[in-house]
């Protein structure tokens, strides 16, 4: 996996399935959601995932965006204090309304730990929760 500064640092389990707690991992460059989210959504759209809603922890992220136009479709944002701060949930548009739960790797995470977390979160059939993935990546 190559981590480029211009591309989202991302690992996605393919295919997305219901047999785990985490479907992907994302290592943003900052906690400015309004700055970081668009490249992530574009990358997901390039992979055939059109997102219509972003659910995030209100206390963890800095966000001033309530809605974003991505191409010709809107993406709405919902911040909740109850949302796991290590998780960003993305809801796909269309009839299926699939939910993609993305492990959030803090931008200040040491690169080796972040790379391990990206790898672990992309493993098919993995049943680790976000905090467990981060703990495993640090060991």
């Amino acid at each position: 996996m190559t981590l480029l500064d211009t591309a989202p640092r991302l690992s996605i389990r393919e295919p997305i399935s219901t047999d785990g707690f985490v479907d992907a991992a994302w290592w943003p460059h900052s906690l400015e959601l309004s700055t970081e989210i668009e490249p992530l959504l574009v990358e997901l759209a390039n992979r055939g995932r059109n997102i219509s809603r972003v659910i995030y922890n209100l206390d963890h992220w800095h966000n001033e965006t309530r809605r974003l136009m991505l191409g010709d479709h809107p993406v709405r944002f919902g911040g909740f204090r109850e949302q796991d701060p290590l998780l960003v949930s993305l809801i796909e548009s269309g009839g299926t309304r699939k939910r993609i739960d993305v492990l959030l790797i803090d931008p200040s995470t040491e690169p080796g730990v972040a790379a391990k977390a990206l790898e672990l979160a992309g493993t098919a059939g993995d049943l680790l929760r976000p905090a467990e993935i981060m703990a495993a990546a640090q060991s």
Side-chain angles (χ1 to χ4, degrees):
M1 172 185 328
T2 303
L3 302 177
L4 301 174
D5 288 340
T6 57
R9 300 178 292 186
L10 177 68
S11 171
I12 300 177
R13 182 185 308 185
E14 290 292 348
I16 301 273
S17 68
T18 58
D19 68 345
F21 299 109
V22 173
D23 303 304
W26 176 37
W27 186 26
H29 297 278
S30 76
L31 290 175
E32 296 293 332
L33 188 60
S34 54
T35 302
E36 296 286 340
I37 197 71
E38 191 168 353
L40 173 66
L41 297 177
V42 167
E43 178 64 26
L44 290 170
N46 290 339
R47 295 176 184 221
R49 306 283 179 184
N50 293 312
I51 305 303
S52 63
R53 186 156 171 82
V54 176
I55 300 168
Y56 63 96
N57 181 284
L58 194 58
D59 296 324
H60 192 74
W61 284 97
H62 306 241
N63 185 40
E64 297 176 11
T65 302
R66 300 290 295 151
R67 189 176 174 142
L68 163 71
M69 289 302 290
L70 191 62
D72 61 351
H73 79 277
V75 179
R76 294 184 336 228
F77 292 78
F80 301 93
R81 286 188 169 80
E82 299 81 24
Q83 174 78 1
D84 183 340
L86 292 178
L87 209 59
V88 174
S89 297
L90 307 173
I91 309 300
E92 286 190 87
S93 56
T96 60
R97 295 269 189 213
K98 287 185 182 175
R99 177 177 169 143
I100 301 170
D101 287 320
V102 181
L103 167 68
L104 170 64
I105 302 168
D106 193 277
S108 65
T109 302
E110 192 272 326
V113 172
K116 183 66 174 173
L118 286 164
E119 178 185 329
L120 289 171
T123 304
D126 177 47
L127 297 177
L128 296 176
R129 295 184 185 274
E132 294 169 327
I133 291 172
M134 291 309 300
Q138 293 172 3
S139 62

